[in-house]
Amino acid sequence: MSNQITYVFKLVPSSSPVPEVLPERLPLSELDTTSGFIHLSSATQIPGTLKHFFTNDNEVYVLRIKYTTVEKDVKWETPNAEVCGERGEEGFFPHLYNGGRLGSGEIESVAVWHQTGGSWDSALQKAEAWLVY
């Protein structure tokens, strides 16, 4: 994978709807609160994130964040945040350490994806141009 990252993404279940007008700070998920950082994904990691964490959701909000906006507060780590790696390296996820701030100042755009027939494939295909690396 290239180390060129344009965007990172936050996936949010439909049970925590993202308002049409973004506030300065969205509420953190229980996982993010417990972890002490905001879990993000690169574009190439989104299919796996959907498969492992959103199989029971029919709809997700996908928040697109310009990487340069948050880069100074991102560490590329294993999912459990034990080992740091290079930006975009296989197996390392972008974790945002900025005091839990994710809202209108960080989020560039929001998409709503729908699972079809128990699969996210259709949503991923439709969003291919929006999922910039």
Side-chain angles (χ1 to χ4, degrees):
M1 176 176 166
S2 166
N3 278 347
Q4 295 290 83
I5 303 289
T6 304
Y7 294 100
V8 288
F9 301 86
K10 174 68 176 167
L11 281 72
V12 178
S14 59
S15 58
S16 300
V18 175
E20 198 169 303
V21 176
L22 291 170
E24 188 174 307
R25 184 183 291 236
L26 290 168
L28 291 178
S29 69
E30 184 177 328
L31 177 62
D32 292 342
T33 301
T34 302
S35 299
F37 58 85
I38 297 173
H39 293 261
L40 302 173
S41 296
S42 68
T44 57
Q45 294 168 330
I46 287 179
T49 302
L50 286 167
K51 179 183 175 185
H52 288 95
F53 296 101
F54 295 91
T55 55
N56 296 324
D57 292 281
N58 290 320
E59 181 178 89
V60 295
Y61 295 90
V62 184
L63 313 178
R64 186 166 80 171
I65 303 155
K66 189 141 179 99
Y67 185 63
T68 56
T69 303
V70 296
E71 183 175 12
K72 66 178 176 47
D73 296 319
V74 169
K75 291 182 184 177
W76 289 83
E77 301 174 313
T78 57
N80 59 0
E82 288 184 356
V83 180
C84 286
E86 293 297 314
R87 174 176 67 190
E89 190 176 334
E90 184 71 29
F92 291 94
F93 288 81
H95 294 159
L96 181 59
Y97 291 87
N98 70 347
R101 188 181 66 257
L102 187 60
S104 59
E106 294 78 31
I107 300 166
E108 182 206 71
S109 58
V110 179
V112 182
W113 294 358
H114 302 275
Q115 188 173 183
T116 307
S119 171
W120 290 105
D121 292 344
S122 177
L124 287 163
Q125 286 175 336
K126 289 177 186 174
E128 194 171 292
W130 187 78
L131 280 175
V132 179
Y133 296 88

